[in-house]
Amino acid sequence: MSDHDLHSKKSGKTGLHPRLPPNQQLVAGDRWPYVGERSCLPVDGPWMIHVTGLVKRPITIPLVQLAQFPQTQITTDIHCVTRWSKFDVTFGGVLLGDLLKSAEPDPAARFVSFVARTERQHSSSMPLDRALKLGTLLATSFEEQPLPSDHGGPVRGVVPGKYFYKSVKWLERIEILEKDRLGFWESDAGYHNGADPWLEQRYIAGSIDRREAARLIETRDFSGMNLLSLDASQRDLRGLNASNALLRNANFSRANVSESRFQGANLSNANFRYADLQGADLSQADLEGADFAAADLRCADLRGSSLFGASFCDLDPENDAIDAAARLDGSTRVDIESLDRLTKPQKEFVLRCLGQ
Ligand SMILES: Nc1nc2c(c(=O)[nH]1)N[C@H]1C(S)=C(S)[C@@H](COP(=O)(O)O)O[C@H]1N2
Ligand SMILES: [Mo]
């Protein structure tokens, strides 16, 4: 049984489309969004690949020597944590397993960390046996062409069956470890270390307890605070000041946040379903993967915000039937160009509401 079958049986939860994990949306056609870092550090000389840590024979080779290992093509589905998915993407390169055969991991080896050649030494890690079983690839090609540099070329990790943040771009080092070492997003942004899209392992729970949350909600001032995964559902928070707050994965469903200030806030994957957002300032906010189904956005300001993977209604992927439509109209302020970040049916829905 595949991982997918296993999970959908276990949780009893499948997306509307059998290949689409819960709460994901398909990006149209050949679109492939960019997420996270946009470039690597420059190299002078050839790109080098290192395999280090708990291995009998560490590897340091120029990338071209990967050609001497067996070449594998895989076709996989990409699922980004910010709720977009892309089906049937073909990558070519060398399987992690084939590379590790010649490095000979130690019996004590339990984890693998993929480290990028970027300013922040971006990394992501996972149990080694899972990485091997899932068919993790060191990808150097995409659709039979060299992997574009803005998508992680010349070489990136591709971990099939996990949220895409496990797939490290501009891969430079593969470190074999005895103990896990949390990656960049997992330690910095609260992304779940498991990253299973079928179980919706997107974020870890928030760090503030319920009493602290209740006290904060009383003050109606979240400005600049880190409130990952805060539960403010159904609260009356009219006039809240949440400018520049970190509110990834926060839950504002059915909350009254009218006239609130979210300017510059990080609201990626926030839940605003059925929320009252009339007159709210969401300008310059990160709204990637935010859910505005059935929210009231009249007189709200979304200018300068980032909208990859955001949604404003529920759509049946089979027939595009609309449910839980957000209320937007001519009074809602949106940059029309920013709507290109939405899936096509979401964009069309918003444009219709705006009367364009
Ligand atoms: N080096 C590096 N790799 C990274 C990231 C990053 O910021 N830096 N972001 C991750 C995330 S969250 C995603 S969804 C994918 C995005 O890949 P793409 O930009 O090619 O779509 O890369 C992953 N790998
Ligand atoms: Mo992501």
mmCIF file of all heavy atoms in Angstrom, residues 32-38 78-82 84 116-118 120 122-123 150-152 156 163-170 184-185 191, ligand 1:
data_model
loop_
_atom_site.group_PDB
_atom_site.id
_atom_site.type_symbol
_atom_site.label_atom_id
_atom_site.label_comp_id
_atom_site.label_asym_id
_atom_site.label_seq_id
_atom_site.Cartn_x
_atom_site.Cartn_y
_atom_site.Cartn_z
ATOM 1 N N TRP A 32 4.511 27.391 -12.085
ATOM 2 C CA TRP A 32 5.280 26.835 -10.980
ATOM 3 C C TRP A 32 5.765 28.016 -10.137
ATOM 4 O O TRP A 32 6.713 28.701 -10.510
ATOM 5 C CB TRP A 32 6.458 25.998 -11.509
ATOM 6 C CG TRP A 32 7.283 25.349 -10.431
ATOM 7 C CD1 TRP A 32 7.029 25.331 -9.089
ATOM 8 C CD2 TRP A 32 8.499 24.616 -10.604
ATOM 9 N NE1 TRP A 32 8.003 24.633 -8.421
ATOM 10 C CE2 TRP A 32 8.911 24.177 -9.332
ATOM 11 C CE3 TRP A 32 9.275 24.290 -11.724
ATOM 12 C CZ2 TRP A 32 10.066 23.439 -9.135
ATOM 13 C CZ3 TRP A 32 10.426 23.538 -11.534
ATOM 14 C CH2 TRP A 32 10.815 23.118 -10.249
ATOM 15 N N PRO A 33 5.068 28.299 -9.024
ATOM 16 C CA PRO A 33 5.430 29.468 -8.213
ATOM 17 C C PRO A 33 6.832 29.340 -7.599
ATOM 18 O O PRO A 33 7.360 28.237 -7.487
ATOM 19 C CB PRO A 33 4.381 29.469 -7.094
ATOM 20 C CG PRO A 33 3.275 28.594 -7.574
ATOM 21 C CD PRO A 33 3.902 27.595 -8.486
ATOM 22 N N TYR A 34 7.390 30.455 -7.217
ATOM 23 C CA TYR A 34 8.637 30.474 -6.446
ATOM 24 C C TYR A 34 8.300 30.664 -4.981
ATOM 25 O O TYR A 34 7.455 31.486 -4.654
ATOM 26 C CB TYR A 34 9.526 31.643 -6.882
ATOM 27 C CG TYR A 34 9.919 31.603 -8.323
ATOM 28 C CD1 TYR A 34 9.367 32.483 -9.240
ATOM 29 C CD2 TYR A 34 10.849 30.669 -8.768
ATOM 30 C CE1 TYR A 34 9.730 32.444 -10.577
ATOM 31 C CE2 TYR A 34 11.225 30.624 -10.098
ATOM 32 C CZ TYR A 34 10.660 31.513 -11.002
ATOM 33 O OH TYR A 34 11.019 31.468 -12.306
ATOM 34 N N VAL A 35 8.960 29.919 -4.115
ATOM 35 C CA VAL A 35 8.724 30.074 -2.684
ATOM 36 C C VAL A 35 10.056 30.117 -1.955
ATOM 37 O O VAL A 35 10.950 29.316 -2.241
ATOM 38 C CB VAL A 35 7.876 28.907 -2.109
ATOM 39 C CG1 VAL A 35 7.578 29.144 -0.638
ATOM 40 C CG2 VAL A 35 6.572 28.750 -2.878
ATOM 41 N N GLY A 36 10.184 31.028 -1.020
ATOM 42 C CA GLY A 36 11.390 31.091 -0.184
ATOM 43 C C GLY A 36 12.507 31.824 -0.889
ATOM 44 O O GLY A 36 12.280 32.766 -1.649
ATOM 45 N N GLU A 37 13.742 31.372 -0.638
ATOM 46 C CA GLU A 37 14.905 32.065 -1.184
ATOM 47 C C GLU A 37 14.867 32.065 -2.712
ATOM 48 O O GLU A 37 14.349 31.139 -3.312
ATOM 49 C CB GLU A 37 16.195 31.368 -0.727
ATOM 50 C CG GLU A 37 16.434 31.448 0.772
ATOM 51 C CD GLU A 37 17.668 30.663 1.177
ATOM 52 O OE1 GLU A 37 17.688 29.431 0.969
ATOM 53 O OE2 GLU A 37 18.602 31.289 1.696
ATOM 54 N N ARG A 38 15.421 33.108 -3.280
ATOM 55 C CA ARG A 38 15.351 33.249 -4.731
ATOM 56 C C ARG A 38 16.691 33.033 -5.424
ATOM 57 O O ARG A 38 16.758 32.962 -6.638
ATOM 58 C CB ARG A 38 14.794 34.626 -5.106
ATOM 59 C CG ARG A 38 13.327 34.797 -4.710
ATOM 60 C CD ARG A 38 12.419 33.808 -5.422
ATOM 61 N NE ARG A 38 12.343 34.055 -6.853
ATOM 62 C CZ ARG A 38 11.499 34.903 -7.417
ATOM 63 N NH1 ARG A 38 10.647 35.564 -6.693
ATOM 64 N NH2 ARG A 38 11.499 35.083 -8.734
ATOM 65 N N ILE A 78 3.834 17.984 -6.639
ATOM 66 C CA ILE A 78 4.373 18.942 -5.668
ATOM 67 C C ILE A 78 3.225 19.478 -4.813
ATOM 68 O O ILE A 78 2.193 19.876 -5.352
ATOM 69 C CB ILE A 78 5.051 20.130 -6.396
ATOM 70 C CG1 ILE A 78 6.278 19.663 -7.179
ATOM 71 C CG2 ILE A 78 5.434 21.225 -5.410
ATOM 72 C CD1 ILE A 78 6.925 20.781 -8.000
ATOM 73 N N HIS A 79 3.415 19.488 -3.508
ATOM 74 C CA HIS A 79 2.423 20.068 -2.604
ATOM 75 C C HIS A 79 3.123 21.082 -1.709
ATOM 76 O O HIS A 79 3.923 20.710 -0.852
ATOM 77 C CB HIS A 79 1.782 18.987 -1.732
ATOM 78 C CG HIS A 79 1.218 17.844 -2.519
ATOM 79 N ND1 HIS A 79 0.201 18.011 -3.434
ATOM 80 C CD2 HIS A 79 1.536 16.521 -2.543
ATOM 81 C CE1 HIS A 79 -0.085 16.835 -3.984
ATOM 82 N NE2 HIS A 79 0.706 15.919 -3.462
ATOM 83 N N CYS A 80 2.847 22.358 -1.916
ATOM 84 C CA CYS A 80 3.469 23.393 -1.086
ATOM 85 C C CYS A 80 2.620 23.621 0.153
ATOM 86 O O CYS A 80 1.394 23.575 0.090
ATOM 87 C CB CYS A 80 3.611 24.691 -1.868
ATOM 88 S SG CYS A 80 4.281 26.029 -0.847
ATOM 89 N N VAL A 81 3.277 23.920 1.238
ATOM 90 C CA VAL A 81 2.558 24.138 2.501
ATOM 91 C C VAL A 81 1.589 25.321 2.389
ATOM 92 O O VAL A 81 0.587 25.370 3.073
ATOM 93 C CB VAL A 81 3.565 24.317 3.662
ATOM 94 C CG1 VAL A 81 4.273 25.669 3.569
ATOM 95 C CG2 VAL A 81 2.908 24.162 5.015
ATOM 96 N N THR A 82 1.871 26.271 1.492
ATOM 97 C CA THR A 82 0.961 27.405 1.321
ATOM 98 C C THR A 82 -0.175 27.062 0.352
ATOM 99 O O THR A 82 -0.711 27.933 -0.327
ATOM 100 C CB THR A 82 1.688 28.684 0.872
ATOM 101 O OG1 THR A 82 2.456 28.393 -0.295
ATOM 102 C CG2 THR A 82 2.606 29.190 1.960
ATOM 103 N N TRP A 84 -0.741 25.366 -2.517
ATOM 104 C CA TRP A 84 -0.838 25.068 -3.941
ATOM 105 C C TRP A 84 -0.179 23.734 -4.225
ATOM 106 O O TRP A 84 0.786 23.339 -3.563
ATOM 107 C CB TRP A 84 -0.253 26.186 -4.821
ATOM 108 C CG TRP A 84 1.186 26.526 -4.566
ATOM 109 C CD1 TRP A 84 1.659 27.517 -3.753
ATOM 110 C CD2 TRP A 84 2.353 25.885 -5.120
ATOM 111 N NE1 TRP A 84 3.035 27.530 -3.755
ATOM 112 C CE2 TRP A 84 3.486 26.537 -4.584
ATOM 113 C CE3 TRP A 84 2.566 24.828 -5.998
ATOM 114 C CZ2 TRP A 84 4.791 26.183 -4.912
ATOM 115 C CZ3 TRP A 84 3.869 24.463 -6.323
ATOM 116 C CH2 TRP A 84 4.970 25.144 -5.778
ATOM 117 N N ALA A 116 21.731 23.942 1.908
ATOM 118 C CA ALA A 116 21.825 24.734 0.677
ATOM 119 C C ALA A 116 23.037 25.643 0.690
ATOM 120 O O ALA A 116 23.503 26.070 1.754
ATOM 121 C CB ALA A 116 20.564 25.577 0.516
ATOM 122 N N ARG A 117 23.502 25.957 -0.497
ATOM 123 C CA ARG A 117 24.551 26.964 -0.625
ATOM 124 C C ARG A 117 23.885 28.337 -0.763
ATOM 125 O O ARG A 117 23.778 28.905 -1.852
ATOM 126 C CB ARG A 117 25.406 26.650 -1.861
ATOM 127 C CG ARG A 117 26.569 27.583 -2.012
ATOM 128 C CD ARG A 117 27.404 27.329 -3.239
ATOM 129 N NE ARG A 117 28.284 28.460 -3.423
ATOM 130 C CZ ARG A 117 29.397 28.661 -2.730
ATOM 131 N NH1 ARG A 117 29.805 27.763 -1.859
ATOM 132 N NH2 ARG A 117 30.120 29.737 -2.916
ATOM 133 N N THR A 118 23.379 28.835 0.344
ATOM 134 C CA THR A 118 22.715 30.144 0.331
ATOM 135 C C THR A 118 23.152 30.914 1.560
ATOM 136 O O THR A 118 23.749 30.348 2.479
ATOM 137 C CB THR A 118 21.179 30.018 0.373
ATOM 138 O OG1 THR A 118 20.796 29.328 1.572
ATOM 139 C CG2 THR A 118 20.652 29.263 -0.837
ATOM 140 N N ARG A 120 21.668 32.022 4.146
ATOM 141 C CA ARG A 120 21.282 31.579 5.479
ATOM 142 C C ARG A 120 21.551 30.096 5.695
ATOM 143 O O ARG A 120 21.078 29.513 6.660
ATOM 144 C CB ARG A 120 19.810 31.906 5.747
ATOM 145 C CG ARG A 120 18.833 31.143 4.874
ATOM 146 C CD ARG A 120 17.408 31.570 5.167
ATOM 147 N NE ARG A 120 16.436 30.831 4.380
ATOM 148 C CZ ARG A 120 15.275 31.329 3.971
ATOM 149 N NH1 ARG A 120 14.972 32.572 4.241
ATOM 150 N NH2 ARG A 120 14.429 30.585 3.295
ATOM 151 N N HIS A 122 20.351 27.592 4.360
ATOM 152 C CA HIS A 122 19.048 26.954 4.479
ATOM 153 C C HIS A 122 19.199 25.432 4.506
ATOM 154 O O HIS A 122 20.023 24.871 3.802
ATOM 155 C CB HIS A 122 18.212 27.366 3.272
ATOM 156 C CG HIS A 122 16.795 26.927 3.355
ATOM 157 N ND1 HIS A 122 15.790 27.764 3.749
ATOM 158 C CD2 HIS A 122 16.220 25.724 3.120
ATOM 159 C CE1 HIS A 122 14.649 27.107 3.741
ATOM 160 N NE2 HIS A 122 14.879 25.858 3.361
ATOM 161 N N SER A 123 18.400 24.776 5.346
ATOM 162 C CA SER A 123 18.470 23.317 5.385
ATOM 163 C C SER A 123 17.110 22.732 5.723
ATOM 164 O O SER A 123 16.194 23.448 6.157
ATOM 165 C CB SER A 123 19.500 22.856 6.421
ATOM 166 O OG SER A 123 19.025 23.098 7.725
ATOM 167 N N ASP A 150 16.478 29.549 -10.692
ATOM 168 C CA ASP A 150 15.564 30.128 -9.700
ATOM 169 C C ASP A 150 14.696 29.067 -9.022
ATOM 170 O O ASP A 150 14.043 29.337 -8.019
ATOM 171 C CB ASP A 150 14.725 31.298 -10.255
ATOM 172 C CG ASP A 150 14.300 31.095 -11.677
ATOM 173 O OD1 ASP A 150 14.377 29.935 -12.145
ATOM 174 O OD2 ASP A 150 13.887 32.068 -12.320
ATOM 175 N N HIS A 151 14.686 27.856 -9.563
ATOM 176 C CA HIS A 151 14.015 26.747 -8.878
ATOM 177 C C HIS A 151 15.027 25.808 -8.200
ATOM 178 O O HIS A 151 14.715 24.658 -7.917
ATOM 179 C CB HIS A 151 13.137 25.961 -9.845
ATOM 180 C CG HIS A 151 11.818 26.645 -10.145
ATOM 181 N ND1 HIS A 151 10.903 26.956 -9.172
ATOM 182 C CD2 HIS A 151 11.281 27.081 -11.319
ATOM 183 C CE1 HIS A 151 9.841 27.549 -9.739
ATOM 184 N NE2 HIS A 151 10.064 27.642 -11.029
ATOM 185 N N GLY A 152 16.233 26.304 -7.984
ATOM 186 C CA GLY A 152 17.184 25.523 -7.204
ATOM 187 C C GLY A 152 18.312 24.907 -8.003
ATOM 188 O O GLY A 152 19.119 24.160 -7.464
ATOM 189 N N ARG A 156 18.922 20.389 -6.788
ATOM 190 C CA ARG A 156 18.088 20.519 -5.599
ATOM 191 C C ARG A 156 17.672 19.138 -5.123
ATOM 192 O O ARG A 156 17.683 18.172 -5.882
ATOM 193 C CB ARG A 156 16.840 21.357 -5.876
ATOM 194 C CG ARG A 156 15.761 20.607 -6.670
ATOM 195 C CD ARG A 156 14.496 21.433 -6.889
ATOM 196 N NE ARG A 156 13.815 21.753 -5.652
ATOM 197 C CZ ARG A 156 12.922 22.735 -5.519
ATOM 198 N NH1 ARG A 156 12.607 23.490 -6.559
ATOM 199 N NH2 ARG A 156 12.334 22.955 -4.366
ATOM 200 N N TYR A 163 5.471 17.794 1.986
ATOM 201 C CA TYR A 163 5.364 19.198 1.593
ATOM 202 C C TYR A 163 6.712 19.621 1.013
ATOM 203 O O TYR A 163 7.782 19.146 1.427
ATOM 204 C CB TYR A 163 5.002 20.089 2.780
ATOM 205 C CG TYR A 163 3.538 20.024 3.179
ATOM 206 C CD1 TYR A 163 3.179 19.777 4.497
ATOM 207 C CD2 TYR A 163 2.527 20.234 2.249
ATOM 208 C CE1 TYR A 163 1.842 19.728 4.884
ATOM 209 C CE2 TYR A 163 1.191 20.188 2.614
ATOM 210 C CZ TYR A 163 0.846 19.935 3.930
ATOM 211 O OH TYR A 163 -0.466 19.884 4.308
ATOM 212 N N PHE A 164 6.636 20.542 0.073
ATOM 213 C CA PHE A 164 7.801 20.849 -0.757
ATOM 214 C C PHE A 164 8.928 21.529 0.018
ATOM 215 O O PHE A 164 10.020 21.690 -0.486
ATOM 216 C CB PHE A 164 7.330 21.719 -1.929
ATOM 217 C CG PHE A 164 8.146 21.618 -3.180
ATOM 218 C CD1 PHE A 164 8.766 20.432 -3.551
ATOM 219 C CD2 PHE A 164 8.284 22.712 -4.026
ATOM 220 C CE1 PHE A 164 9.509 20.344 -4.719
ATOM 221 C CE2 PHE A 164 9.027 22.642 -5.194
ATOM 222 C CZ PHE A 164 9.634 21.450 -5.538
ATOM 223 N N TYR A 165 8.668 21.959 1.256
ATOM 224 C CA TYR A 165 9.773 22.599 1.999
ATOM 225 C C TYR A 165 10.850 21.606 2.393
ATOM 226 O O TYR A 165 11.926 22.009 2.831
ATOM 227 C CB TYR A 165 9.284 23.417 3.197
ATOM 228 C CG TYR A 165 8.449 22.723 4.252
ATOM 229 C CD1 TYR A 165 9.035 22.034 5.304
ATOM 230 C CD2 TYR A 165 7.060 22.803 4.220
ATOM 231 C CE1 TYR A 165 8.268 21.438 6.295
ATOM 232 C CE2 TYR A 165 6.278 22.201 5.202
ATOM 233 C CZ TYR A 165 6.886 21.523 6.237
ATOM 234 O OH TYR A 165 6.137 20.930 7.219
ATOM 235 N N LYS A 166 10.589 20.306 2.228
ATOM 236 C CA LYS A 166 11.647 19.323 2.468
ATOM 237 C C LYS A 166 12.598 19.222 1.267
ATOM 238 O O LYS A 166 13.617 18.529 1.342
ATOM 239 C CB LYS A 166 11.041 17.948 2.766
ATOM 240 C CG LYS A 166 10.300 17.863 4.099
ATOM 241 C CD LYS A 166 11.253 17.908 5.296
ATOM 242 C CE LYS A 166 10.503 17.982 6.618
ATOM 243 N NZ LYS A 166 11.425 18.189 7.751
ATOM 244 N N SER A 167 12.233 19.859 0.163
ATOM 245 C CA SER A 167 13.015 19.755 -1.076
ATOM 246 C C SER A 167 13.928 20.967 -1.218
ATOM 247 O O SER A 167 13.536 22.010 -1.771
ATOM 248 C CB SER A 167 12.073 19.628 -2.276
ATOM 249 O OG SER A 167 11.322 18.434 -2.190
ATOM 250 N N VAL A 168 15.132 20.836 -0.735
ATOM 251 C CA VAL A 168 16.052 21.983 -0.605
ATOM 252 C C VAL A 168 16.663 22.374 -1.952
ATOM 253 O O VAL A 168 17.205 21.532 -2.673
ATOM 254 C CB VAL A 168 17.149 21.649 0.437
ATOM 255 C CG1 VAL A 168 18.272 22.671 0.406
ATOM 256 C CG2 VAL A 168 16.524 21.576 1.829
ATOM 257 N N LYS A 169 16.530 23.669 -2.264
ATOM 258 C CA LYS A 169 17.101 24.203 -3.509
ATOM 259 C C LYS A 169 18.593 24.502 -3.331
ATOM 260 O O LYS A 169 19.052 24.732 -2.241
ATOM 261 C CB LYS A 169 16.365 25.490 -3.904
ATOM 262 C CG LYS A 169 14.869 25.280 -4.143
ATOM 263 C CD LYS A 169 14.169 26.546 -4.654
ATOM 264 C CE LYS A 169 13.707 27.437 -3.528
ATOM 265 N NZ LYS A 169 12.790 28.515 -3.995
ATOM 266 N N TRP A 170 19.336 24.506 -4.437
ATOM 267 C CA TRP A 170 20.791 24.793 -4.446
ATOM 268 C C TRP A 170 21.518 23.912 -3.428
ATOM 269 O O TRP A 170 22.255 24.375 -2.561
ATOM 270 C CB TRP A 170 21.055 26.280 -4.168
ATOM 271 C CG TRP A 170 20.223 27.160 -5.031
ATOM 272 C CD1 TRP A 170 20.361 27.353 -6.376
ATOM 273 C CD2 TRP A 170 19.097 27.940 -4.617
ATOM 274 N NE1 TRP A 170 19.383 28.203 -6.811
ATOM 275 C CE2 TRP A 170 18.604 28.583 -5.760
ATOM 276 C CE3 TRP A 170 18.452 28.159 -3.400
ATOM 277 C CZ2 TRP A 170 17.493 29.424 -5.729
ATOM 278 C CZ3 TRP A 170 17.351 29.000 -3.345
ATOM 279 C CH2 TRP A 170 16.899 29.614 -4.504
ATOM 280 N N PHE A 184 15.658 25.047 8.540
ATOM 281 C CA PHE A 184 15.393 26.482 8.655
ATOM 282 C C PHE A 184 13.924 26.782 8.920
ATOM 283 O O PHE A 184 13.574 27.406 9.914
ATOM 284 C CB PHE A 184 15.861 27.212 7.388
ATOM 285 C CG PHE A 184 15.574 28.681 7.449
ATOM 286 C CD1 PHE A 184 16.438 29.541 8.097
ATOM 287 C CD2 PHE A 184 14.411 29.195 6.887
ATOM 288 C CE1 PHE A 184 16.158 30.899 8.183
ATOM 289 C CE2 PHE A 184 14.130 30.557 6.971
ATOM 290 C CZ PHE A 184 14.998 31.402 7.614
ATOM 291 N N TRP A 185 13.035 26.307 8.029
ATOM 292 C CA TRP A 185 11.611 26.621 8.220
ATOM 293 C C TRP A 185 11.075 25.944 9.476
ATOM 294 O O TRP A 185 10.223 26.485 10.179
ATOM 295 C CB TRP A 185 10.771 26.140 7.042
ATOM 296 C CG TRP A 185 11.004 26.827 5.741
ATOM 297 C CD1 TRP A 185 11.447 26.240 4.588
ATOM 298 C CD2 TRP A 185 10.776 28.206 5.409
ATOM 299 N NE1 TRP A 185 11.516 27.177 3.585
ATOM 300 C CE2 TRP A 185 11.121 28.371 4.059
ATOM 301 C CE3 TRP A 185 10.325 29.303 6.149
ATOM 302 C CZ2 TRP A 185 11.014 29.600 3.416
ATOM 303 C CZ3 TRP A 185 10.225 30.523 5.501
ATOM 304 C CH2 TRP A 185 10.568 30.658 4.152
ATOM 305 N N TYR A 191 7.172 25.371 10.869
ATOM 306 C CA TYR A 191 6.691 24.307 9.991
ATOM 307 C C TYR A 191 6.868 22.967 10.685
ATOM 308 O O TYR A 191 7.848 22.734 11.385
ATOM 309 C CB TYR A 191 7.487 24.275 8.673
ATOM 310 C CG TYR A 191 7.129 25.350 7.693
ATOM 311 C CD1 TYR A 191 6.392 26.473 8.053
ATOM 312 C CD2 TYR A 191 7.546 25.249 6.370
ATOM 313 C CE1 TYR A 191 6.085 27.450 7.120
ATOM 314 C CE2 TYR A 191 7.235 26.224 5.432
ATOM 315 C CZ TYR A 191 6.509 27.317 5.825
ATOM 316 O OH TYR A 191 6.212 28.290 4.896
HETATM 317 N N1 LIG B 1 17.512 26.718 -0.268
HETATM 318 C C1 LIG B 1 16.171 26.774 -0.119
HETATM 319 N N2 LIG B 1 15.415 25.703 -0.450
HETATM 320 C C2 LIG B 1 14.069 25.753 -0.303
HETATM 321 C C3 LIG B 1 13.423 26.906 0.207
HETATM 322 C C4 LIG B 1 14.239 28.016 0.539
HETATM 323 O O1 LIG B 1 13.759 29.082 0.972
HETATM 324 N N3 LIG B 1 15.606 27.904 0.365
HETATM 325 N N4 LIG B 1 12.051 26.933 0.347
HETATM 326 C C5 LIG B 1 11.345 25.650 0.373
HETATM 327 C C6 LIG B 1 9.909 25.800 0.167
HETATM 328 S S1 LIG B 1 8.981 26.336 1.478
HETATM 329 C C7 LIG B 1 9.308 25.393 -0.993
HETATM 330 S S2 LIG B 1 7.609 25.370 -1.155
HETATM 331 C C8 LIG B 1 10.111 25.021 -2.180
HETATM 332 C C9 LIG B 1 9.756 25.945 -3.327
HETATM 333 O O2 LIG B 1 10.444 25.608 -4.478
HETATM 334 P P1 LIG B 1 10.221 26.485 -5.766
HETATM 335 O O3 LIG B 1 10.574 27.921 -5.410
HETATM 336 O O4 LIG B 1 11.114 25.903 -6.793
HETATM 337 O O5 LIG B 1 8.752 26.363 -6.112
HETATM 338 O O6 LIG B 1 11.493 25.078 -1.947
HETATM 339 C C10 LIG B 1 11.906 24.678 -0.657
HETATM 340 N N5 LIG B 1 13.337 24.670 -0.647
#
